[in-house]
Amino acid sequence: MLEIRHYIKQILNTPFHQVDLSSVSLDAIWFDVFFSRTNQGKLFPFPKSFDAITNLNLKAIHIILANVLYDKESQIPEFALQSFYEYLSNTLPKLCELVPDYNSWTTDAERAEELIRSLFDAIQILPANETKEYFTDRYRSIDSRERVRILEETKKAQERAKEILRQLRQKEEEEAASKYNRE
Amino acid sequence: MDSKRTPLLREEWNLEIQKMFESHFAPQWNANIGDRIGEEEFQFVKCFQKDLEFAKEHSLYQTKESILSFIETYQSTSTFFRNQLEGIHWKQNFESIPFTSRDDLQSKITDIIPNDTNLNEMVINPTSGTTGKPILAPNHPKAIGCYVPLIEYSVKKYGVTPVHSPKSTFAIQLCYQENTIVYATCHSLAGGAKFAKINIHPNSWKNPSDLQNFLIEFSPQILTGDPYAFESTMKMGIKYKPEAIHSTALELTPALRKNLSEYFQCPVINFYSLNETGPIAYSCPKNPEWMHLLPHDLYVEVISNETFTPLPTGNIGEIVLTGGRNPYLPLLRYRTGDQGEIQYGTCECGDHFPRLRLLSGRKPVYFQKPNGETVNPIDVARILRKNPFIYQFQVEQVTEVRWECRLSLSDTIEMSESSLEKEKTKIKEELESLFGEGSHVCISTNFPLDGKKQIVFINSYLSQKESKS
């Protein structure tokens, strides 16, 4: 594995000028990626086709990741295909929803880092010179899903705070419960 | 009575309580209040009582180690707990946990209340507010229900056996105020035994002799109230012999305790209880200067006033509490503002829980009208507390006819200069009417709002007179 900055750079340099997003076949690309990585297999590596995806932004994230994994110099080791398939099927659509414009991943270094860390997190590999703890901390701090979750929690907390204050005012007017002594 | 206020109310309880409502000697009832104890609350209190009795029997009071699980529970549900505990090794170092102040209870209550509690069951019991801005401590009927076994435990230690029958009146609470709520009810947790809160002030009765007759008719086992109310009862010459006097809210001086005990011919139990926590301690039957920690779920520390670190036995400092059973107000190193010392070890009375000796707690302060009559400061508090923009106040009687009323106002208050002046004039008029003819009240608005427990009522006029005599 290389240090995280190498992968970030790869993402920022994704050669989109060579890709016609609307006509590209994701299945063909993923086939090539895994064929080049393993030099074996004549079958499509995933249980389900990705060619049905029409959302260009989602397609673009597939391309970005395929570009990183295709490159043998990236020194990304073997990983479980099942986890990767789940990542492509579940996490990527969510990320695409939160960061809709694919250009953000290739122009904003923090988003690029988020994308590669989210992949590494899913397939459980660590970039060079990082501990698991450091990796998790850093990932959490830049994770869009985490940011949205915090925002939602904050919003919920604010609504709850409002409700508490309303109830406090109301209960002050209402009847108390009888007790034998006073304070 | 209705079953909304007292969900477990039974027909035979209702018949008995009606007798109290309709007594020829009854005061002019002006409120309806129930215990709000349903089946769930009932079971909660019964479990609490069992745990309390077991803990008392085996001297299992909370320690720095045993209270950790309480903290852990609320760390995940209270934002305030989470913030206070963030980044510190609190399990290894309890003293690293920051204190909770009275100010926190006022300003951060929305963070303190755990996020998984149902707000519908919240109740607020108003307090007299004799020692600083009252904290509107949210509470739950089940935690208020726990007052019953705690108070009963304390009276049993004085040889009083509470009678759990609707025919019995366990307690009557005495107040002496110009204005207050007056009600009768029964307590499900005491087998339907009756309870009444009455105002001994003449305003509250149809005939002057009714108070005496009412007490005799319903013969409560104990009288509860504050030293001021008991002293007033004594001065009024009311003749009644309860099984015990249960005194709270203000400091009970040894001299007054002796007088009350002689006058009412019964033991006098001094009780330390805060609205924020519920009952904390009761005076030891063998050595009444000391008060035994009452509940088994509160951890008590005494911290230095200078270094804010816990003090060993024999040193006076501020009482700090952690724990409790109020689901809306879990306490994490809460600084009570009360001063005292703590002592551990066995006690000849048989309650081996730690003992507290309170120091110059809440001395009763009375004001004197120019015509010599006394005024209960609680009536002053009532006038000032109804103004929502007054955050904290202090009222001092400076001379026979002159009072200083210092206010700290909300800084978010949107009020024009002229409306503010109008409000001040209104308060001035109300206070002068309370203090009587010839009184003069001076209002200022520069009283500091710093969250500290301030002395609210001062009578420098009477103190000077007393020190001269």
Side-chain angles (χ1 to χ4, degrees):
Chain A
M1 289 289 287
L2 301 170
E3 286 186 358
I4 196 80
R5 58 196 169 98
H6 293 280
Y7 306 107
I8 295 171
K9 207 169 157 196
Q10 265 180 307
I11 288 180
L12 295 173
N13 293 334
T14 308
F16 270 115
H17 57 281
Q18 295 179 12
V19 184
D20 175 21
L21 269 179
S22 53
S23 64
V24 75
S25 158
L26 291 179
D27 287 354
I29 284 191
W30 284 125
F31 181 85
D32 285 354
V33 167
F34 284 92
F35 188 77
S36 81
R37 283 181 65 87
T38 58
N39 274 330
Q40 54 177 302
K42 291 182 179 146
L43 294 171
F44 179 62
F46 300 124
K48 212 179 127 196
S49 162
F50 287 114
D51 270 349
I53 295 174
T54 53
N55 180 335
L56 297 189
N57 287 306
L58 181 55
K59 269 178 124 175
I61 315 180
H62 277 257
I63 305 285
I64 295 168
L65 293 175
N67 184 50
V68 176
L69 291 170
Y70 183 75
D71 182 5
K72 284 202 175 115
E73 282 172 25
S74 70
Q75 296 181 30
I76 293 173
E78 283 304 301
F79 51 83
L81 215 54
Q82 180 60 27
S83 318
F84 185 59
Y85 174 69
E86 277 163 21
Y87 172 76
L88 292 179
S89 312
N90 304 324
T91 311
L92 282 198
K94 216 167 273 170
L95 284 177
C96 181
E97 220 171 87
L98 298 174
V99 185
D101 179 2
Y102 76 86
N103 284 311
S104 305
W105 303 106
T106 55
T107 51
D108 178 340
E110 193 171 275
R111 293 285 68 75
E113 185 180 348
E114 179 193 344
L115 185 59
I116 195 68
R117 283 192 188 275
S118 77
L119 169 68
F120 288 176
D121 182 63
I123 60 175
Q124 296 191 334
I125 55 175
L126 277 183
N129 301 326
E130 284 190 22
T131 62
K132 178 80 190 141
E133 204 177 13
Y134 174 83
F135 177 89
T136 311
D137 268 7
R138 177 67 191 157
Y139 175 38
R140 220 174 257 163
S141 71
I142 56 171
D143 183 2
S144 294
R145 289 170 306 165
E146 184 70 6
R147 281 186 296 131
V148 168
R149 193 184 63 76
I150 289 169
L151 280 176
E152 273 172 5
E153 264 185 16
T154 311
K155 201 175 144 208
K156 255 194 234 162
Q158 281 170 344
E159 277 163 12
R160 170 119 177 131
K162 250 196 231 162
E163 175 62 9
I164 287 173
L165 293 175
R166 191 187 69 78
Q167 293 265 9
L168 280 174
R169 271 193 300 271
Q170 186 188 323
K171 304 288 180 179
E172 200 186 344
E173 302 297 317
E174 282 176 12
E175 187 182 301
S178 170
K179 57 182 178 182
Y180 289 136
N181 69 334
R182 54 175 290 259
E183 276 112 355
Chain B
M1 288 290 296
D2 63 49
S3 53
K4 189 172 161 264
R5 295 191 169 94
T6 305
L8 302 180
L9 182 72
R10 293 187 193 172
E11 189 51 42
E12 62 268 32
W13 302 359
N14 202 19
L15 287 174
E16 289 297 327
I17 197 73
Q18 287 305 328
K19 289 182 194 166
M20 197 177 240
F21 280 136
E22 291 157 12
S23 162
H24 180 66
F25 306 116
Q28 296 166 33
W29 307 114
N30 59 16
N32 284 309
I33 287 190
D35 64 9
R36 304 180 70 166
I37 297 291
E39 194 51 47
E40 197 188 325
E41 289 78 18
F42 188 88
Q43 293 309 329
F44 178 89
V45 178
K46 286 295 159 193
C47 282
F48 172 83
Q49 182 171 15
K50 233 166 135 187
D51 293 345
L52 171 75
E53 283 163 5
F54 183 84
K56 285 288 185 187
E57 198 182 324
H58 298 89
S59 302
L60 297 172
Y61 51 84
Q62 288 294 338
T63 62
K64 191 160 67 175
E65 289 76 31
S66 61
I67 203 69
L68 294 182
S69 60
F70 166 88
I71 300 175
E72 205 165 13
T73 305
Y74 285 105
Q75 188 185 19
S76 55
T77 55
S78 163
T79 308
F80 180 77
F81 269 55
R82 200 160 51 241
N83 293 344
Q84 295 287 90
L85 300 169
E86 198 177 344
I88 54 171
H89 297 287
W90 56 275
K91 281 188 188 167
Q92 293 77 29
N93 183 9
F94 185 87
E95 279 81 34
S96 66
I97 302 173
F99 295 108
T100 304
S101 66
R102 288 169 63 81
D103 196 32
D104 289 330
L105 260 46
Q106 284 167 352
S107 61
K108 295 183 187 154
I109 190 70
T110 55
D111 281 349
I112 295 172
I113 294 179
N115 50 34
D116 57 352
T117 44
N118 179 354
L119 301 173
N120 293 335
E121 284 146 2
M122 196 192 276
V123 289
I124 290 181
N125 276 57
T127 50
S128 50
T130 46
T131 55
K133 178 176 164 57
I135 290 164
L136 289 179
N139 212 330
H140 192 287
K142 68 184 181 186
I144 294 172
C146 292
Y147 279 56
V148 174
L150 288 167
I151 289 175
E152 287 194 352
Y153 180 87
S154 71
V155 301
K156 280 181 200 160
K157 293 293 287 182
Y158 280 79
V160 179
T161 308
V163 180
H164 282 191
S165 155
K167 292 203 179 296
S168 161
T169 303
F170 175 60
I172 287 185
Q173 187 188 130
L174 309 179
C175 298
Y176 185 78
Q177 289 173 236
E178 288 223 341
N179 241 312
T180 186
I181 57 165
V182 172
Y183 67 91
T185 189
C186 56
H187 277 251
S188 314
L189 291 154
K194 295 186 286 296
F195 168 72
K197 183 192 169 208
I198 61 174
N199 187 3
I200 60 174
H201 195 284
N203 281 356
S204 198
W205 305 85
K206 294 182 275 284
N207 299 303
S209 59
D210 284 356
L211 166 60
Q212 167 98 53
N213 290 328
F214 182 77
L215 287 175
I216 292 166
E217 183 181 358
F218 292 99
S219 54
Q221 286 193 278
I222 66 167
L223 293 178
T224 66
D226 60 49
Y228 179 73
F230 293 129
E231 200 180 359
S232 306
T233 313
M234 204 163 63
K235 281 183 185 161
M236 287 163 76
I238 299 297
K239 292 273 178 278
Y240 181 69
K241 188 175 168 298
E243 291 178 50
I245 292 276
H246 207 264
S247 173
T248 47
L250 297 167
E251 185 187 348
L252 177 68
T253 59
L256 182 57
R257 184 180 63 235
K258 194 167 159 280
N259 283 348
L260 292 177
S261 182
E262 279 167 8
Y263 183 84
F264 290 101
Q265 296 173 52
C266 70
V268 177
I269 309 165
N270 195 15
F271 209 67
Y272 175 35
S273 187
L274 299 179
N275 202 22
E276 304 90 291
T277 61
I280 300 169
Y282 71 103
S283 54
C284 172
K286 297 282 180 191
N287 188 356
E289 288 297 286
W290 286 87
M291 303 173 98
H292 283 286
L293 175 65
L294 189 46
H296 58 286
D297 56 3
L298 265 185
Y299 172 57
V300 183
E301 298 170 87
V302 171
I303 59 154
S304 158
N305 294 320
E306 281 85 39
T307 61
F308 306 107
T309 51
L311 291 167
T313 296
N315 291 281
I316 285 164
E318 186 171 350
I319 294 168
V320 171
L321 302 169
T322 301
R325 67 214 73 89
N326 180 347
Y328 297 113
L329 202 58
L331 296 171
L332 183 61
R333 303 197 85 199
Y334 173 60
R335 286 177 58 179
T336 60
D338 293 320
Q339 296 283 313
E341 62 174 303
I342 193 164
Q343 209 178 61
Y344 298 89
T346 57
C347 180
E348 54 178 328
C349 79
D351 186 341
H352 305 316
F353 270 35
R355 280 157 290 184
L356 290 169
R357 191 171 66 86
L358 289 184
L359 190 78
S360 57
R362 306 185 247 180
K363 280 196 191 301
V365 171
Y366 314 127
F367 295 128
Q368 197 181 54
K369 293 184 184 183
N371 69 5
E373 285 175 22
T374 54
V375 175
N376 188 343
I378 291 172
D379 286 317
V380 178
R382 183 176 45 80
I383 291 171
L384 296 174
R385 277 175 55 191
K386 69 181 179 196
N387 286 283
F389 58 87
I390 299 176
Y391 270 20
Q392 193 154 318
F393 57 83
Q394 183 175 63
V395 178
E396 178 177 358
Q397 181 168 12
V398 195
T399 69
E400 189 184 0
V401 294
R402 188 181 162 83
W403 278 262
E404 299 273 353
C405 172
R406 304 173 188 112
L407 307 173
S408 48
L409 306 178
S410 157
D411 50 11
T412 54
I413 168 180
E414 282 174 20
M415 198 188 271
S416 67
E417 199 65 28
S418 64
S419 328
L420 183 64
E421 282 309 312
K422 256 189 220 160
E423 281 296 329
K424 278 163 68 179
T425 311
K426 213 170 109 199
I427 294 167
K428 181 180 154 72
E429 282 169 3
E430 277 192 77
L431 289 176
E432 285 176 352
S433 145
L434 177 72
F435 295 144
E437 214 179 321
S439 65
H440 179 73
V441 176
C442 178
I443 308 236
S444 64
T445 53
N446 53 359
F447 192 58
L449 180 70
D450 49 15
K452 284 189 188 147
K453 210 168 193 173
Q454 302 273 8
I455 297 176
V456 175
F457 302 112
I458 305 170
N459 194 332
S460 42
Y461 164 64
L462 277 189
S463 319
Q464 278 165 16
K465 252 178 56 175
E466 277 163 17
S467 63
K468 273 179 198 158
S469 61

